[in-house]
Amino acid sequence: MPTIRVQDADVFVHREGQGRPLLMLHGNPDSHRLWLPMIARLKTHHDCIAPDLPGFGASAIPPQNDVTLEGFAQWVDDLVIALGLNVPVDVIVHDIGGFYGLTWAVRHPDKLNRLVIANTLLHADYRWHFWAQVWRSRLGELAMQVFDWPILGRLAHSMTLKQGGPGLSGQQIREGYANFHKTARAQVLRIYRETDPEKFRAWTLPLLAVIKKHPTRVLWGALDPFIPRHYATSFGTGDAKLFESAGHWAVAESPERCAILVREHLGTA
């Protein structure tokens, strides 16, 4: 199993392809597997690097487990250093992978080349969706226990992913359920309880400043029930591509079109 040490913890990294490095940061409740359909279409031109974030997939949680915005940025920088990547690097982020990758871009703009943003945000005016509010409350642990009941847990997971990602296949949904283990669920609670949108306020304008200096493309599933579609145009770039028939997981629902747009943006089309 390809693992490296980051902050005294094992991190699983799926690395495939050749060319300029492309760091791919997944969201919740995913792992590196989110990116596999796109990697299959990008690997002939890119060195695709898809780690499992701390606590997700096969990655362990660092002893300090810093789930603050500063902590996310530091973890990505430590990952880049541990991988020995030549900077600047291209980055694509999705969902909470944006908390990691976008804060890193703010703290280390000199290490960023080009950026792709997919259904994520770093804006203080955002209001958490229903499930995030549950996870942030005292009911969070109880809600996560549902996934320990095979039939009920599988049904809840399937319904949520189908609602959020109408284009996801049955296999993608089954794999997602299998990977949403207890460690990941506990990490989700920690992350959502720490990342109150008000804490994004100090990061939004610096992020927009970084985007002005680094070519950025937005890929956005318009049917996303978790993040309203107007956030697709909130990053200060006119380069936003909407997927009208895709939801929150557009990068997995429409991997072929997304890969074409990524290659075009990164100059390898």
Side-chain angles (χ1 to χ4, degrees):
M1 183 176 291
T3 61
I4 62 172
R5 295 288 288 181
V6 179
Q7 297 182 354
D8 294 323
D10 287 337
V11 173
F12 178 93
V13 180
H14 179 90
R15 190 167 187 174
E16 188 175 0
Q18 56 187 359
R20 200 164 69 227
L22 173 60
L23 183 61
M24 312 175 82
L25 302 176
H26 70 80
N28 167 44
D30 303 305
S31 68
H32 73 279
R33 300 190 66 85
L34 171 79
W35 303 112
L36 294 182
M38 282 187 64
I39 289 174
R41 296 164 169 84
L42 292 170
K43 63 184 180 180
T44 57
H45 294 85
H46 296 279
D47 176 12
C48 299
I49 304 166
D52 288 345
L53 296 179
F56 292 85
S59 287
I61 295 177
Q64 70 273 26
N65 196 25
D66 187 350
V67 292
T68 65
L69 296 172
E70 288 285 358
F72 296 148
Q74 187 60 58
W75 185 86
V76 175
D77 200 50
D78 290 343
L79 172 72
V80 169
I81 293 170
L83 287 167
L85 298 182
N86 292 323
V87 294
V89 298
D90 298 319
V91 178
I92 180 170
V93 299
H94 174 256
D95 191 76
I96 63 171
F99 300 167
Y100 282 83
L102 298 182
T103 56
W104 175 78
V106 169
R107 287 291 177 258
H108 303 279
D110 56 315
K111 296 184 179 183
L112 173 68
N113 186 40
R114 290 175 178 254
L115 178 63
V116 180
I117 297 172
N119 291 76
T120 188
L121 47 69
L122 208 62
H123 299 68
D125 65 346
Y126 177 66
R127 295 296 174 264
W128 285 121
H129 56 84
F130 171 77
W131 282 113
Q133 293 180 41
V134 171
W135 297 330
R136 287 171 53 79
S137 75
R138 289 178 295 178
L139 296 175
E141 282 77 7
L142 181 61
M144 289 300 185
Q145 287 177 14
V146 168
F147 293 97
D148 289 328
W149 300 11
I151 296 177
L152 183 58
R154 189 177 294 109
L155 177 63
H157 184 88
S158 178
M159 291 176 62
T160 301
L161 265 64
K162 267 300 180 185
Q163 175 196 20
L168 293 175
S169 69
Q171 180 179 349
Q172 287 172 314
I173 291 174
R174 288 190 295 272
E175 289 176 349
Y177 175 76
N179 280 291
F180 198 38
H181 46 65
K182 288 185 177 181
T183 302
R185 284 178 261 151
Q187 188 73 336
V188 167
L189 296 182
R190 297 184 192 102
I191 290 173
Y192 279 83
R193 288 168 177 172
E194 174 62 32
T195 50
D196 188 287
E198 181 58 33
K199 296 180 181 180
F200 297 155
R201 190 172 302 280
W203 297 80
T204 307
L205 290 180
L207 173 61
L208 297 181
V210 169
I211 289 173
K212 282 185 178 181
K213 297 180 179 179
H214 296 78
T216 300
R217 169 163 286 179
V218 176
L219 306 178
W220 203 272
L223 299 181
D224 188 341
F226 309 123
I227 310 177
R229 64 185 291 163
H230 72 264
Y231 282 102
T233 56
S234 67
F235 293 96
T237 174
D239 192 1
K241 309 297 184 183
L242 283 176
F243 293 71
E244 294 291 350
S245 61
H248 183 67
W249 288 274
V251 293
E253 297 172 67
S254 301
E256 184 170 1
R257 184 182 169 202
C258 283
I260 290 171
L261 291 170
V262 167
R263 285 186 54 193
E264 179 183 273
H265 178 62
L266 300 183
T268 57

